[in-house]
Amino acid sequence: MNTPLLGAESVHWLIEISYFVTAFLFIMGLKRMSSPVTARSGIVWAGAGMLVATLFTFMYPGMGNYEWILPAIIVGTLLAWISGKRVAMTDMPQMIALYNGFGGGAAAAIAAVELYRGEAMSPTMGTLAVSGGLIGAVSFSGSLIAFGKLQGLVKKSWRFGGQQLLNIVILLAALVVGAFIASGWHHDPFHVSLFFVLALVFGVFMTLPIGGADMPVVISMYNAFTGLAVAFEGFVMQNAAMIIAGTVVGSAGTLLTQLMARAMNRSLGNVLFSGFGDTGGAAAAGGETKGSMKPIDAADVGVMMAFSQKVIVVPGYGMAVAQAQHKVWELCQLLIDRGVMVRFAIHPVAGRMPGHMNVLLAEAGVPYDLISDLDEINAEFETADVALIIGANDVVNPTARNDKSSPIYGMPILNADKAKNVIVIKRGQGTGFSGIENALFYLDNTRMLYGDGQAAASALIQAVKAV
Amino acid sequence: MTGIVALYIFMLAAFTGYEIIAKVPVILHTPLMSGSNFVHGIVLVGAMVALGNSHSTLEKVIGTIGVFMAAGNAAGGYVVTERMLEMFKASGAKSGKPKSGGH
């Protein structure tokens, strides 16, 4: 499909230049995405890069099969575009997992096409193709399981004795068969098929035992995996754009995974191999809690907040489940109009993945400069008149600070207990995600406002208006 | 592209990725993960070339699945990232009331 105006040489050169521009736009785009002020433009830059690379790739010399390529692009783009537009912000984590799995699957598909073609490869190229295929396939099937778990399609965590051993055996088998192929010794369709089946099964088995609460870390890890797989296949295809973009995502994703694991006070190994992080999985250990929970009326809370100087709101995922973020922001706007200083304190694991709560608050219209993370806000609780806890539990449990026997001991928490008054909006008297009793609820300065998050927030709005 | 040059690219890109993320605030972790998820959608160009040079039916079928998934990765990653980042506003800018995402 060469254009007659340009020789193959200059077409190749044009494509190389377009990939160079793409790599530049990707890196600049990611850089801009790391500040809230420029973030929006960052994704647009990166999007432009993607468009440039895709369009110029159509000029590739000697390419055919456009009757296959075009429909695949159009259908894939349309389906993803529509689903991406419609997904609720609360369901964002599993959507990212799904799209990421597609990327891993595409990298594995490239490896499969190259390996099934059966042309002799140098051992280096063979190793790269096989490695990218393995990582991509694991990322594909693993991400699909992660999607299924967060979407509620896969409910069981499916654990059994000797599971780790079985997983290691499957991985080793995949590596051995991969080595057969890469060395050229058994480079035939049967071994290639066997290799991909083993890799896909490994991804499924590795992800199944991991609990839903740990899934964000796993998704982030698979994101890094896909990046790496793309980079490896980039080496095989001699494609610099794929090498650069894949590697950048591979290393950035690895760092992001570590940051997330650290915010949850878990090591990555712990997440992958321990099987905690399952709803109701951990026993309600910990010492006896003293005192009782003291209820309060919305009207009293309204007065208290209206005459405060500083209110810190601590939202948790429960708020988003109740779709209460809009009401909470309405309440805060009323307080701000009265001259109250309002801040939102976000724990790194509030929401379902780090930063997810910020997205949900942003959706409700909360400006990002009112939102502070743990390190910024923790010293401020002492000067706050009211800490309003809505839908959060374990992340404000002082047990994590001082009870060594607690399963969450050592997890960084928001020091809401240091505020003069603590108001907890809660549906009932149950325990949190980890099943651990929350000592905060029993403190002398804590009052419980029972009710559904949205209803409680509406009641507070009326109460503040009535003041 | 010789092997050693490719290796240099690999090393420098790895450091670049690390440095870009190193200073990112927690509030942007989710959009950034989504954004980097979009960036590896560049696998689309590789999938296009692989499919474009396929001969057997098996290769064409796998290649088509690959292009389909890669396009999904790129398009989906872009849309969700853009949707999230579009909502981040400072207090100066008066934001409209976006409709709530139903569950």
Side-chain angles (χ1 to χ4, degrees):
Chain A
M1 287 256 172
N2 287 346
T3 44
L5 286 170
L6 294 164
E9 193 87 335
S10 21
V11 171
H12 229 274
W13 184 82
L14 252 179
I15 294 172
E16 293 295 332
I17 292 293
S18 80
Y19 287 173
F20 180 83
V21 171
T22 298
F24 172 78
L25 288 171
F26 277 173
I27 292 172
M28 284 304 288
L30 277 174
K31 177 83 200 145
R32 295 179 77 82
M33 270 185 246
S34 46
S35 153
V37 186
T38 53
R40 169 75 206 284
S41 67
I43 184 66
V44 177
W45 283 49
M50 190 71 74
L51 211 58
V52 168
T54 310
L55 290 178
F56 276 84
T57 301
F58 275 107
M59 298 170 63
Y60 228 89
M63 284 233 305
N65 295 333
Y66 287 102
E67 74 278 18
W68 295 75
I69 295 177
L70 276 172
I73 291 184
I74 292 168
V75 175
T77 304
L78 274 181
L79 285 182
W81 195 276
I82 294 167
S83 61
K85 281 279 182 206
R86 295 170 73 153
V87 61
M89 283 296 154
T90 40
D91 293 341
M92 220 33 114
Q94 57 261 46
M95 230 39 205
I96 297 174
L98 186 65
Y99 298 141
N100 175 58
F102 276 17
I110 295 176
V113 169
E114 296 293 322
L115 291 173
Y116 276 122
R117 190 169 292 151
E119 282 167 15
M121 285 179 171
S122 71
T124 317
M125 280 304 160
T127 306
L128 286 166
V130 164
S131 310
L134 174 67
I135 302 171
V138 169
S139 172
F140 172 67
S141 61
S143 295
L144 288 191
I145 297 294
F147 167 80
K149 284 207 165 201
L150 290 179
Q151 189 74 15
L153 301 172
V154 183
K155 292 214 171 65
K156 280 191 65 162
S157 276
W158 205 65
R159 297 183 193 126
F160 54 85
Q163 190 166 24
Q164 309 283 355
L165 193 68
L166 177 68
N167 287 356
I168 290 170
V169 169
I170 297 173
L171 178 62
L172 279 179
L175 288 173
V176 169
V177 177
F180 283 178
I181 301 168
S183 63
W185 188 34
H186 279 299
H187 188 167
D188 51 60
F190 168 74
H191 281 89
V192 173
S193 306
L194 179 64
F195 169 73
F196 280 107
V197 169
L198 286 168
L200 291 170
V201 169
F202 178 70
V204 172
F205 279 21
M206 186 174 134
T207 320
L208 270 179
I210 301 170
D214 281 336
M215 234 12 117
V217 179
V218 177
I219 295 172
S220 176
M221 185 185 73
Y222 285 143
N223 186 38
F225 271 26
T226 301
L228 207 57
V230 171
F232 282 170
E233 297 312 323
F235 281 114
V236 177
M237 314 280 303
Q238 293 283 298
N239 185 317
M242 279 169 73
I243 298 178
I244 294 174
T247 310
V248 165
V249 174
S251 75
T254 306
L255 178 60
L256 205 52
T257 309
Q258 285 170 345
L259 291 176
M260 286 190 191
R262 200 177 306 152
M264 297 169 78
N265 197 35
R266 311 283 309 275
S267 75
L268 191 56
N270 203 285
V271 167
L272 293 179
F273 306 116
S274 81
F276 178 83
D278 202 15
T279 327
E288 290 287 300
T289 32
K290 293 187 189 107
S292 58
M293 297 194 199
K294 297 162 277 290
I296 192 171
D297 289 337
D300 295 340
V301 181
V303 173
M304 190 193 282
M305 290 202 299
F307 292 103
S308 293
Q309 301 215 306
K310 185 163 158 189
V311 172
I312 299 180
V313 182
V314 182
Y317 188 61
M319 180 193 73
V321 172
Q323 285 293 325
Q325 58 267 44
H326 296 88
K327 290 283 177 203
V328 169
W329 175 228
E330 199 181 327
L331 170 69
C332 291
Q333 280 173 306
L334 283 175
L335 294 174
I336 291 168
D337 290 344
R338 292 184 63 98
V340 181
M341 182 183 171
V342 177
R343 286 284 173 276
F344 286 83
I346 310 285
H347 190 273
V349 296
R352 296 168 73 191
M353 67 164 84
H356 188 206
M357 184 53 65
N358 305 81
V359 173
L360 296 169
L361 288 177
E363 187 191 19
V366 180
Y368 61 76
D369 46 342
L370 297 189
I371 304 174
S372 309
D373 63 25
L374 188 133
D375 295 331
E376 295 166 351
I377 199 91
N378 251 350
E380 290 198 35
F381 277 106
E382 285 169 30
T383 59
D385 300 292
V386 178
L388 181 69
I389 321 285
I390 170 160
N393 193 339
D394 293 332
V395 298
V396 288
N397 191 344
T399 314
R401 233 175 17 225
N402 45 35
D403 181 0
K404 286 206 168 111
S405 67
S406 171
I408 58 169
Y409 177 74
M411 179 174 95
I413 58 155
L414 291 162
N415 297 330
D417 54 319
K418 302 260 168 82
K420 292 191 193 88
N421 298 284
V422 181
I423 304 295
V424 179
I425 298 180
K426 206 168 175 308
R427 205 177 291 172
Q429 302 195 343
T431 52
F433 206 49
S434 58
I436 298 161
E437 201 63 75
N438 193 336
L440 176 73
F441 301 165
Y442 299 91
L443 294 178
D444 290 336
N445 55 341
T446 303
R447 294 291 177 273
M448 309 296 288
L449 178 58
Y450 290 114
D452 167 73
Q454 194 163 352
S458 304
L460 287 179
I461 291 170
Q462 296 311 320
V464 172
K465 276 184 181 161
V467 172
Chain B
M1 190 164 35
T2 61
I4 192 70
V5 172
L7 213 56
Y8 273 114
I9 295 179
F10 186 72
M11 178 188 75
L12 293 173
F15 279 113
T16 306
Y18 194 92
E19 282 302 315
I20 288 175
I21 303 294
K23 288 172 229 95
V24 70
V26 180
I27 71 161
L28 285 172
H29 274 181
T30 292
L32 198 69
M33 180 163 134
S34 176
S36 58
N37 173 41
F38 162 70
V39 165
H40 64 52
I42 190 69
V43 69
L44 176 60
V45 302
M48 285 167 69
V49 175
L51 173 56
N53 292 309
S54 292
H55 301 293
S56 76
T57 310
L58 178 68
E59 287 168 32
K60 284 183 194 168
V61 169
I62 297 175
T64 304
I65 296 172
V67 172
F68 167 79
M69 290 200 290
N73 178 184
Y78 183 84
V79 171
V80 296
T81 310
E82 206 261 355
R83 270 184 66 195
M84 284 192 268
L85 290 176
E86 190 191 33
M87 299 182 312
F88 282 91
K89 297 210 167 68
S91 15
K94 221 25 187 177
S95 62
K97 280 264 186 242
K99 68 177 193 316
S100 72
H103 197 52

